[in-house]
Coordinates of all heavy atoms in Angstrom, one line a residue:
M1 N -20.7 -41.1 0.8 CA -19.4 -40.9 0.2 C -19.3 -40.0 -1.0 O -18.2 -39.2 -1.1 CB -18.9 -42.4 -0.3 CG -17.5 -42.4 -0.5 SD -16.6 -42.3 0.9 CE -15.0 -43.0 0.5
R2 N -20.3 -39.8 -1.7 CA -20.3 -38.9 -2.8 C -20.3 -37.5 -2.3 O -19.6 -36.6 -2.9 CB -21.6 -39.1 -3.7 CG -21.5 -40.2 -4.7 CD -22.6 -40.2 -5.6 NE -22.5 -41.2 -6.5 CZ -22.7 -41.1 -7.7 NH1 -22.9 -40.0 -8.3 NH2 -22.5 -42.2 -8.6
K3 N -21.0 -37.2 -1.2 CA -21.0 -35.9 -0.6 C -19.7 -35.4 -0.1 O -19.2 -34.3 -0.4 CB -21.9 -35.8 0.5 CG -23.4 -35.5 0.2 CD -24.1 -35.1 1.5 CE -25.6 -34.8 1.0 NZ -26.4 -34.5 2.2
L4 N -18.9 -36.3 0.4 CA -17.6 -36.2 1.0 C -16.5 -35.7 -0.3 O -15.8 -34.8 -0.1 CB -16.9 -37.3 1.7 CG -15.5 -37.1 2.2 CD1 -15.4 -36.0 3.2 CD2 -15.1 -38.5 2.8
H5 N -16.8 -36.5 -1.4 CA -15.9 -36.2 -2.5 C -16.3 -34.8 -3.1 O -15.4 -34.1 -3.4 CB -16.1 -37.3 -3.6 CG -15.4 -38.5 -3.1 ND1 -14.0 -38.7 -2.8 CD2 -15.9 -39.8 -3.0 CE1 -13.8 -39.9 -2.6 NE2 -14.9 -40.6 -2.7
A6 N -17.6 -34.6 -3.1 CA -18.0 -33.2 -3.6 C -17.5 -32.0 -2.7 O -17.2 -31.1 -3.2 CB -19.5 -33.2 -3.7
V7 N -17.6 -32.2 -1.5 CA -17.1 -31.3 -0.5 C -15.6 -31.0 -0.7 O -15.2 -29.9 -0.7 CB -17.5 -31.5 0.9 CG1 -16.9 -30.6 2.0 CG2 -19.0 -31.5 1.1
I8 N -14.8 -32.0 -0.8 CA -13.4 -31.9 -1.0 C -13.1 -31.3 -2.3 O -12.2 -30.4 -2.3 CB -12.7 -33.4 -0.8 CG1 -12.9 -33.8 0.6 CG2 -11.3 -33.3 -1.3 CD1 -12.4 -35.3 0.8
F9 N -13.8 -31.7 -3.4 CA -13.6 -31.0 -4.6 C -13.8 -29.6 -4.6 O -13.1 -28.7 -5.2 CB -14.4 -31.8 -5.8 CG -14.1 -31.3 -7.0 CD1 -12.9 -31.5 -7.8 CD2 -15.2 -30.5 -7.7 CE1 -12.8 -31.0 -9.0 CE2 -14.9 -30.1 -9.0 CZ -13.8 -30.3 -9.7
T10 N -15.0 -29.2 -4.0 CA -15.3 -27.8 -4.0 C -14.3 -27.0 -3.1 O -13.9 -25.9 -3.5 CB -16.7 -27.7 -3.2 OG1 -17.7 -28.5 -4.0 CG2 -17.2 -26.3 -3.2
G11 N -13.9 -27.6 -2.0 CA -12.8 -26.9 -1.2 C -11.5 -26.8 -2.0 O -10.9 -25.6 -1.9
C12 N -11.2 -27.7 -2.8 CA -10.0 -27.5 -3.7 C -10.1 -26.4 -4.7 O -9.2 -25.6 -4.9 CB -9.7 -28.8 -4.3 SG -9.0 -30.1 -3.3
L13 N -11.3 -26.4 -5.3 CA -11.6 -25.3 -6.4 C -11.5 -23.9 -5.7 O -11.0 -23.0 -6.2 CB -12.9 -25.5 -6.9 CG -13.0 -26.6 -8.0 CD1 -14.5 -26.8 -8.5 CD2 -12.1 -26.4 -9.1
L14 N -12.1 -23.8 -4.5 CA -12.1 -22.5 -3.7 C -10.6 -22.1 -3.4 O -10.3 -21.0 -3.4 CB -13.0 -22.6 -2.5 CG -14.4 -22.6 -2.8 CD1 -15.2 -22.7 -1.5 CD2 -14.9 -21.2 -3.5
G15 N -9.9 -23.1 -2.9 CA -8.5 -22.8 -2.5 C -7.6 -22.4 -3.8 O -6.7 -21.7 -3.5
L16 N -8.0 -22.9 -5.0 CA -7.2 -22.4 -6.2 C -7.7 -21.1 -6.9 O -7.0 -20.7 -7.8 CB -7.2 -23.6 -7.1 CG -6.5 -24.8 -6.6 CD1 -6.7 -25.9 -7.7 CD2 -5.0 -24.6 -6.5
S17 N -8.8 -20.6 -6.3 CA -9.4 -19.4 -7.0 C -8.5 -18.2 -6.8 O -7.8 -18.2 -5.8 CB -10.8 -19.2 -6.4 OG -10.7 -18.6 -5.1
P18 N -8.6 -17.2 -7.7 CA -7.8 -16.1 -7.6 C -8.0 -15.2 -6.4 O -7.1 -14.6 -5.8 CB -8.1 -15.2 -8.8 CG -8.7 -16.2 -9.7 CD -9.3 -17.3 -9.0
L19 N -9.3 -15.2 -5.9 CA -9.6 -14.4 -4.7 C -9.0 -15.0 -3.4 O -8.6 -14.3 -2.6 CB -11.1 -14.3 -4.4 CG -11.9 -13.6 -5.5 CD1 -13.4 -13.6 -5.3 CD2 -11.4 -12.1 -5.6
A20 N -8.8 -16.4 -3.4 CA -8.3 -17.0 -2.3 C -6.8 -16.7 -2.2 O -6.1 -16.8 -1.1 CB -8.5 -18.5 -2.3
S21 N -6.2 -16.5 -3.4 CA -4.7 -16.3 -3.4 C -4.3 -14.8 -3.4 O -3.1 -14.4 -3.5 CB -4.1 -16.9 -4.6 OG -4.6 -16.2 -5.8
A22 N -5.4 -13.9 -3.2 CA -5.1 -12.4 -3.0 C -4.2 -12.2 -1.8 O -4.4 -12.8 -0.8 CB -6.4 -11.6 -2.9
E23 N -3.5 -11.1 -1.9 CA -2.5 -10.8 -0.8 C -2.6 -9.3 -0.4 O -2.8 -8.5 -1.3 CB -1.1 -11.1 -1.3 CG -0.1 -10.9 -0.2 CD 1.3 -11.3 -0.8 OE1 1.5 -11.6 -2.0 OE2 2.3 -11.2 0.0
T24 N -2.5 -9.0 0.9 CA -2.6 -7.7 1.4 C -1.1 -7.4 1.8 O -0.6 -8.1 2.6 CB -3.5 -7.6 2.5 OG1 -4.8 -7.8 2.1 CG2 -3.5 -6.1 3.0
V25 N -0.5 -6.3 1.2 CA 0.8 -5.8 1.5 C 0.8 -4.5 2.1 O -0.2 -3.6 1.6 CB 1.8 -6.0 0.4 CG1 1.9 -7.5 0.1 CG2 1.3 -5.3 -0.8
Y26 N 1.7 -4.0 2.7 CA 1.9 -2.6 3.1 C 3.1 -2.1 2.4 O 4.2 -2.5 2.5 CB 2.2 -2.3 4.6 CG 0.8 -2.4 5.4 CD1 0.4 -3.6 6.0 CD2 0.1 -1.2 5.6 CE1 -0.8 -3.6 6.7 CE2 -1.1 -1.3 6.2 CZ -1.5 -2.4 6.8 OH -2.7 -2.4 7.5
L27 N 2.9 -1.1 1.5 CA 4.0 -0.4 0.8 C 4.4 0.8 1.6 O 3.7 1.5 2.1 CB 3.5 0.1 -0.6 CG 2.9 -1.0 -1.5 CD1 2.4 -0.4 -2.8 CD2 3.9 -2.1 -1.8
T28 N 5.8 1.1 1.5 CA 6.3 2.3 2.2 C 7.2 3.1 1.2 O 7.8 2.4 0.3 CB 7.2 1.9 3.4 OG1 8.3 1.0 3.0 CG2 6.4 1.2 4.4
N29 N 7.3 4.3 1.4 CA 8.0 5.2 0.5 C 8.2 6.5 1.1 O 7.7 6.7 2.2 CB 7.4 5.4 -0.8 CG 8.3 5.6 -2.0 OD1 9.4 6.1 -1.7 ND2 7.9 5.2 -3.2
S30 N 9.0 7.3 0.6 CA 9.3 8.7 1.2 C 9.3 9.8 0.0 O 9.4 9.4 -1.2 CB 10.6 8.8 1.8 OG 11.6 8.4 0.9
A31 N 9.0 11.1 0.4 CA 9.1 12.1 -0.6 C 9.3 13.5 0.1 O 9.3 13.5 1.4 CB 7.7 12.2 -1.2
D32 N 9.8 14.3 -0.7 CA 10.1 15.7 -0.2 C 9.1 16.6 -0.7 O 8.3 16.4 -1.7 CB 11.4 16.2 -0.7 CG 12.6 15.3 -0.2 OD1 12.6 14.9 1.0 OD2 13.6 15.1 -1.0
G33 N 8.8 17.7 0.1 CA 7.9 18.7 -0.3 C 8.2 20.1 0.3 O 9.1 20.2 1.1
A34 N 7.7 21.1 -0.5 CA 8.0 22.5 -0.1 C 7.4 22.8 1.4 O 7.8 23.7 2.0 CB 7.3 23.5 -1.1
N35 N 6.2 22.1 1.7 CA 5.6 22.2 3.0 C 5.0 20.8 3.3 O 5.1 19.9 2.7 CB 4.5 23.2 3.1 CG 3.4 23.1 2.1 OD1 3.1 21.9 1.7 ND2 2.9 24.1 1.6
R36 N 4.4 20.8 4.5 CA 3.9 19.5 5.1 C 2.9 18.9 4.1 O 2.9 17.7 3.7 CB 3.3 19.7 6.5 CG 2.9 18.3 7.0 CD 2.3 18.6 8.4 NE 2.1 17.3 9.2 CZ 1.1 16.6 9.2 NH1 0.0 17.1 8.5 NH2 0.9 15.5 9.8
D37 N 1.9 19.7 3.6 CA 0.9 19.1 2.8 C 1.4 18.6 1.4 O 1.0 17.6 0.9 CB -0.1 20.2 2.5 CG -1.0 20.6 3.8 OD1 -1.0 19.8 4.8 OD2 -1.5 21.7 3.8
A38 N 2.4 19.4 0.9 CA 3.0 18.9 -0.3 C 3.9 17.6 -0.3 O 3.8 16.8 -1.1 CB 3.9 20.0 -0.9
G39 N 4.5 17.5 0.9 CA 5.2 16.3 1.2 C 4.3 15.1 1.3 O 4.5 14.0 0.8
I40 N 3.1 15.2 2.1 CA 2.3 14.1 2.4 C 1.5 13.8 0.9 O 1.4 12.7 0.7 CB 1.2 14.5 3.3 CG1 1.9 14.6 4.7 CG2 0.1 13.6 3.4 CD1 1.1 15.1 5.9
A41 N 1.2 14.8 0.2 CA 0.6 14.5 -1.1 C 1.5 13.8 -2.0 O 1.1 12.8 -2.7 CB 0.0 15.8 -1.7
A42 N 2.7 14.1 -2.1 CA 3.8 13.5 -2.9 C 4.0 12.0 -2.6 O 4.0 11.1 -3.4 CB 5.1 14.2 -2.8
V43 N 4.1 11.8 -1.2 CA 4.3 10.3 -0.9 C 3.0 9.5 -1.0 O 3.2 8.3 -1.4 CB 4.9 10.3 0.6 CG1 3.8 10.5 1.6 CG2 5.5 8.9 0.9
K44 N 1.9 10.1 -0.8 CA 0.6 9.3 -1.0 C 0.5 9.0 -2.4 O 0.2 7.9 -2.7 CB -0.6 10.3 -0.6 CG -1.8 9.5 -0.6 CD -2.9 10.5 -0.1 CE -3.5 10.0 1.1 NZ -4.7 10.8 1.6
Q45 N 0.9 9.9 -3.4 CA 0.7 9.7 -4.8 C 1.8 8.5 -5.3 O 1.4 7.6 -6.1 CB 1.0 10.9 -5.6 CG 0.8 10.8 -7.2 CD -0.7 10.3 -7.4 OE1 -1.6 11.0 -6.9 NE2 -0.8 9.4 -8.2
K46 N 3.0 8.5 -4.7 CA 4.0 7.7 -5.0 C 3.5 6.3 -4.6 O 3.7 5.2 -5.3 CB 5.3 7.8 -4.2 CG 6.2 8.9 -4.9 CD 7.5 8.9 -4.2 CE 8.6 9.8 -4.8 NZ 9.8 9.9 -4.0
L47 N 2.9 6.1 -3.4 CA 2.4 4.8 -2.9 C 1.2 4.3 -3.7 O 1.2 3.2 -4.1 CB 2.0 4.9 -1.5 CG 3.3 5.1 -0.6 CD1 2.7 5.6 0.8 CD2 4.0 3.9 -0.4
Q48 N 0.4 5.2 -4.1 CA -0.8 4.7 -5.0 C -0.2 4.3 -6.3 O -0.8 3.3 -6.9 CB -1.8 5.9 -5.2 CG -2.6 6.1 -3.9 CD -3.5 7.3 -4.1 OE1 -3.6 8.0 -5.1 NE2 -4.2 7.7 -3.0
D49 N 0.7 5.0 -6.9 CA 1.2 4.6 -8.2 C 2.0 3.2 -8.2 O 1.9 2.4 -9.1 CB 2.2 5.6 -8.7 CG 1.5 7.0 -9.0 OD1 0.3 7.0 -9.2 OD2 2.2 8.0 -9.3
A50 N 2.7 3.0 -7.0 CA 3.4 1.8 -6.9 C 2.5 0.6 -6.8 O 2.7 -0.5 -7.3 CB 4.4 1.9 -5.6
C51 N 1.4 0.8 -6.1 CA 0.3 -0.3 -6.0 C -0.3 -0.6 -7.3 O -0.5 -1.8 -7.6 CB -0.7 0.2 -5.0 SG -2.0 -1.1 -4.6
T52 N -0.7 0.4 -8.1 CA -1.4 0.2 -9.4 C -0.4 -0.4 -10.3 O -0.8 -1.2 -11.2 CB -2.0 1.5 -9.9 OG1 -1.1 2.5 -9.9 CG2 -3.2 1.8 -9.1
E53 N 0.9 -0.1 -10.3 CA 1.8 -0.7 -11.2 C 1.9 -2.2 -10.9 O 2.3 -2.8 -11.8 CB 3.3 0.0 -10.9 CG 3.6 1.2 -11.5 CD 4.9 1.8 -11.2 OE1 5.7 1.0 -10.6 OE2 5.2 3.0 -11.4
R54 N 1.6 -2.6 -9.8 CA 1.6 -4.1 -9.4 C 0.3 -4.7 -9.6 O 0.0 -5.8 -9.1 CB 2.1 -4.2 -7.9 CG 3.5 -3.9 -7.7 CD 3.8 -3.8 -6.2 NE 5.2 -3.6 -5.9 CZ 5.9 -2.4 -5.9 NH1 5.2 -1.3 -6.2 NH2 7.0 -2.3 -5.7
Q55 N -0.5 -4.0 -10.3 CA -1.9 -4.5 -10.6 C -2.8 -4.6 -9.3 O -3.6 -5.6 -9.2 CB -2.0 -5.7 -11.4 CG -1.6 -5.6 -12.9 CD -0.1 -5.5 -13.1 OE1 0.7 -6.1 -12.5 NE2 0.3 -4.6 -14.0
G56 N -2.4 -3.9 -8.3 CA -3.1 -3.9 -7.1 C -4.2 -2.8 -6.9 O -4.2 -1.9 -7.8
T57 N -4.9 -2.8 -5.8 CA -5.9 -1.8 -5.4 C -5.4 -1.1 -4.2 O -5.4 -1.8 -3.2 CB -7.3 -2.5 -5.3 OG1 -7.6 -3.3 -6.4 CG2 -8.4 -1.5 -5.0
P58 N -5.1 0.2 -4.2 CA -4.7 0.9 -3.0 C -5.9 1.2 -2.2 O -6.9 1.5 -2.6 CB -4.1 2.2 -3.6 CG -4.7 2.3 -4.9 CD -5.1 1.0 -5.5
D59 N -5.7 1.0 -0.8 CA -6.6 1.4 0.2 C -6.2 2.7 0.7 O -5.3 2.8 1.6 CB -6.6 0.3 1.3 CG -7.7 0.7 2.4 OD1 -8.5 1.6 2.2 OD2 -7.7 -0.1 3.4
V60 N -6.8 3.8 0.1 CA -6.4 5.2 0.3 C -6.7 5.5 1.9 O -5.9 6.3 2.4 CB -7.2 6.2 -0.5 CG1 -6.7 7.6 -0.3 CG2 -6.9 5.8 -2.0
D61 N -7.7 5.0 2.5 CA -8.0 5.2 3.9 C -7.0 4.7 4.8 O -6.9 5.1 6.0 CB -9.4 4.7 4.2 CG -10.5 5.3 3.5 OD1 -10.4 6.5 3.1 OD2 -11.5 4.6 3.2
S62 N -6.2 3.7 4.4 CA -5.1 3.1 5.3 C -3.8 3.9 5.3 O -2.9 3.5 5.9 CB -4.9 1.7 4.8 OG -4.1 1.7 3.6
F63 N -3.8 5.1 4.5 CA -2.5 5.8 4.5 C -2.2 6.3 5.8 O -3.0 6.7 6.5 CB -2.6 7.0 3.4 CG -1.4 7.9 3.4 CD1 -0.2 7.5 2.8 CD2 -1.5 9.2 4.1 CE1 0.8 8.3 2.9 CE2 -0.3 9.9 4.1 CZ 0.8 9.5 3.5
E64 N -0.9 6.2 6.1 CA -0.3 6.7 7.4 C 1.0 7.3 7.3 O 1.8 6.8 6.6 CB -0.2 5.4 8.4 CG 0.2 5.8 9.8 CD 0.3 4.5 10.5 OE1 -0.4 3.5 10.3 OE2 1.0 4.5 11.6
V65 N 1.2 8.5 7.9 CA 2.6 9.1 8.0 C 3.4 8.4 9.0 O 2.9 8.4 10.2 CB 2.4 10.6 8.2 CG1 3.7 11.3 8.4 CG2 1.7 11.2 7.1
V66 N 4.5 7.8 8.7 CA 5.4 7.1 9.7 C 6.3 8.1 10.2 O 6.7 8.0 11.5 CB 6.0 5.9 8.9 CG1 6.9 5.2 9.8 CG2 5.0 4.9 8.3
F67 N 6.9 8.9 9.5 CA 8.0 9.9 9.9 C 7.9 11.1 9.2 O 7.6 11.1 8.0 CB 9.4 9.2 9.7 CG 10.5 10.1 10.1 CD1 10.9 10.2 11.5 CD2 11.3 10.7 9.2 CE1 11.9 11.0 11.9 CE2 12.3 11.5 9.5 CZ 12.7 11.6 10.8
E68 N 8.1 12.2 9.8 CA 8.2 13.5 9.1 C 9.3 14.5 9.8 O 9.5 14.3 11.0 CB 6.9 14.1 9.2 CG 6.1 14.3 10.4 CD 4.8 14.8 10.3 OE1 4.5 15.9 9.8 OE2 3.8 14.1 10.7
K69 N 10.0 15.2 8.9 CA 11.0 16.1 9.5 C 11.3 17.2 8.6 O 11.1 17.2 7.3 CB 12.3 15.3 9.5 CG 13.5 16.1 10.0 CD 14.8 15.2 10.0 CE 15.9 16.1 10.5 NZ 17.2 15.4 10.5
T70 N 11.5 18.4 9.2 CA 11.6 19.7 8.4 C 13.1 20.0 8.6 O 13.6 20.0 9.7 CB 10.7 20.8 9.1 OG1 9.4 20.4 9.1 CG2 10.9 22.0 8.3
S71 N 13.7 20.4 7.5 CA 15.1 20.6 7.4 C 15.2 22.2 7.9 O 14.4 23.0 7.6 CB 15.6 20.6 6.0 OG 17.0 21.0 6.0
E72 N 16.2 22.5 8.8 CA 16.4 23.8 9.2 C 17.3 24.6 8.3 O 17.4 25.8 8.5 CB 17.3 23.7 10.6 CG 16.4 22.9 11.6 CD 15.2 23.6 12.0 OE1 15.1 24.8 12.1 OE2 14.3 22.9 12.3
N73 N 17.8 24.0 7.3 CA 18.7 24.7 6.3 C 17.8 25.5 5.3 O 17.0 25.0 4.5 CB 19.5 23.7 5.5 CG 20.5 24.3 4.5 OD1 20.4 25.5 4.2 ND2 21.3 23.5 4.0
P74 N 17.9 26.8 5.3 CA 17.0 27.7 4.4 C 17.4 27.5 2.9 O 16.5 27.8 2.1 CB 17.3 29.0 4.9 CG 18.7 29.0 5.4 CD 18.8 27.6 6.0
D75 N 18.5 26.8 2.6 CA 18.8 26.7 1.1 C 18.2 25.5 0.5 O 18.4 25.3 -0.7 CB 20.4 26.7 1.0 CG 21.0 28.0 1.5 OD1 20.4 29.0 1.4 OD2 22.1 27.9 2.0
V76 N 17.6 24.6 1.3 CA 17.0 23.4 0.7 C 15.7 23.7 0.0 O 14.8 24.4 0.7 CB 16.7 22.3 1.9 CG1 16.1 21.2 1.3 CG2 18.1 21.9 2.5
P77 N 15.5 23.3 -1.3 CA 14.3 23.7 -2.0 C 13.1 23.1 -1.5 O 11.9 23.6 -1.6 CB 14.6 23.4 -3.5 CG 15.8 22.3 -3.5 CD 16.5 22.6 -2.2
K78 N 13.2 21.8 -1.0 CA 12.1 21.1 -0.5 C 12.4 20.6 0.9 O 12.9 19.5 1.1 CB 11.7 19.9 -1.5 CG 11.2 20.3 -2.8 CD 10.9 19.1 -3.6 CE 10.3 19.4 -4.9 NZ 9.8 18.3 -5.7
P79 N 12.2 21.4 1.8 CA 12.7 21.1 3.2 C 11.9 20.2 4.0 O 12.3 19.8 5.1 CB 12.6 22.5 3.9 CG 11.5 23.2 3.2 CD 11.5 22.8 1.8
Y80 N 10.8 19.8 3.6 CA 9.9 18.9 4.4 C 10.0 17.4 3.8 O 9.8 17.2 2.6 CB 8.5 19.3 4.3 CG 7.7 18.8 5.4 CD1 7.7 19.4 6.6 CD2 7.0 17.7 5.3 CE1 7.0 19.0 7.8 CE2 6.2 17.2 6.5 CZ 6.3 17.9 7.7 OH 5.6 17.4 8.7
Y81 N 10.4 16.5 4.8 CA 10.6 15.1 4.4 C 9.6 14.2 5.1 O 9.4 14.5 6.2 CB 12.0 14.6 4.8 CG 12.2 13.2 4.6 CD1 12.8 12.8 3.4 CD2 12.2 12.3 5.6 CE1 13.1 11.4 3.1 CE2 12.4 10.9 5.4 CZ 12.9 10.5 4.2 OH 13.2 9.2 3.9
V82 N 8.9 13.3 4.4 CA 7.8 12.5 4.8 C 8.1 11.0 4.4 O 8.4 10.7 3.3 CB 6.5 12.9 4.3 CG1 5.4 12.1 4.8 CG2 6.2 14.4 4.5
D83 N 8.0 10.2 5.4 CA 7.8 8.7 5.1 C 6.3 8.3 5.3 O 5.8 8.7 6.3 CB 8.7 7.9 6.1 CG 10.1 7.9 5.8 OD1 10.5 8.3 4.6 OD2 11.0 7.7 6.7
G84 N 5.9 7.4 4.5 CA 4.5 7.0 4.7 C 4.3 5.6 4.3 O 5.2 4.9 3.7
K85 N 3.1 5.0 4.7 CA 2.8 3.6 4.3 C 1.4 3.5 3.9 O 0.5 4.3 4.3 CB 3.1 2.6 5.4 CG 2.3 2.6 6.6 CD 2.7 1.5 7.6 CE 1.7 1.6 8.8 NZ 2.1 0.4 9.7
L86 N 1.1 2.5 3.0 CA -0.2 2.3 2.5 C -0.6 0.8 2.3 O 0.2 0.1 1.8 CB -0.3 3.2 1.2 CG -1.6 3.1 0.4 CD1 -2.7 4.1 0.9 CD2 -1.4 3.5 -1.1
K87 N -1.7 0.5 2.6 CA -2.1 -0.9 2.4 C -2.6 -1.1 0.9 O -3.3 -0.3 0.3 CB -3.3 -1.2 3.3 CG -3.7 -2.7 3.2 CD -4.5 -3.1 4.4 CE -5.9 -2.6 4.4 NZ -6.7 -3.3 5.4
C88 N -2.1 -2.2 0.2 CA -2.3 -2.5 -1.1 C -2.9 -3.9 -1.3 O -2.2 -4.8 -0.7 CB -1.1 -2.3 -1.9 SG -1.3 -2.7 -3.7
E89 N -4.0 -4.2 -1.9 CA -4.6 -5.5 -2.2 C -4.1 -6.0 -3.5 O -4.4 -5.5 -4.5 CB -6.1 -5.5 -2.1 CG -6.8 -5.0 -0.9 CD -6.7 -6.0 0.2 OE1 -6.6 -7.2 0.0 OE2 -6.7 -5.6 1.4
L90 N -3.1 -6.9 -3.4 CA -2.6 -7.5 -4.7 C -3.4 -8.8 -5.1 O -3.8 -9.6 -4.2 CB -1.2 -7.9 -4.5 CG -0.2 -6.8 -4.3 CD1 1.2 -7.2 -4.0 CD2 -0.3 -5.8 -5.4
P91 N -3.5 -9.0 -6.4 CA -4.2 -10.2 -6.9 C -3.4 -11.4 -6.7 O -2.2 -11.5 -6.5 CB -4.4 -9.9 -8.4 CG -3.4 -8.9 -8.8 CD -3.2 -8.1 -7.6

């Protein structure tokens, strides 16, 4: 009977630990750039900053471009538009 109580108590402690309550979320954002590389770099930086503002750890390898478009208008200063997503581990 003591073992059962000890196992239940240990399980409750593990369930309440901060690591057990950690959460993985996907953040999405968009950015403009002068070219494709500048647009991707801008959206990647925005996503990393958003994750660290939430006291999270960004998973840079999980970055993915969701949508990209180039404007045909020559008067647009930043004609390249990028949507991206990034995995973030929150405490």
Side-chain angles (χ1 to χ4, degrees):
M1 193 67 161
R2 280 185 180 233
K3 276 190 175 180
L4 179 61
H5 290 302
V7 169
I8 292 173
F9 181 71
T10 303
C12 289
L13 287 178
L14 287 174
L16 295 174
S17 73
L19 292 177
S21 64
E23 183 178 7
T24 300
V25 296
Y26 280 94
L27 301 176
T28 59
N29 209 334
S30 62
D32 297 324
N35 57 29
R36 183 177 194 272
D37 293 335
I40 290 174
V43 75
K44 190 182 245 186
Q45 187 61 47
K46 278 185 174 182
L47 291 169
Q48 289 176 1
D49 292 344
C51 183
T52 53
E53 280 178 13
R54 293 168 173 84
Q55 287 78 37
T57 305
D59 182 4
V60 181
D61 296 332
S62 71
F63 174 76
E64 181 181 337
V65 174
V66 178
F67 176 79
E68 50 189 301
K69 181 179 179 182
T70 304
S71 174
E72 301 299 326
N73 186 351
D75 297 329
V76 176
K78 293 183 178 181
Y80 203 81
Y81 176 83
V82 181
D83 284 341
K85 72 178 183 177
L86 180 79
K87 187 163 68 168
C88 180
E89 299 287 335
L90 296 177

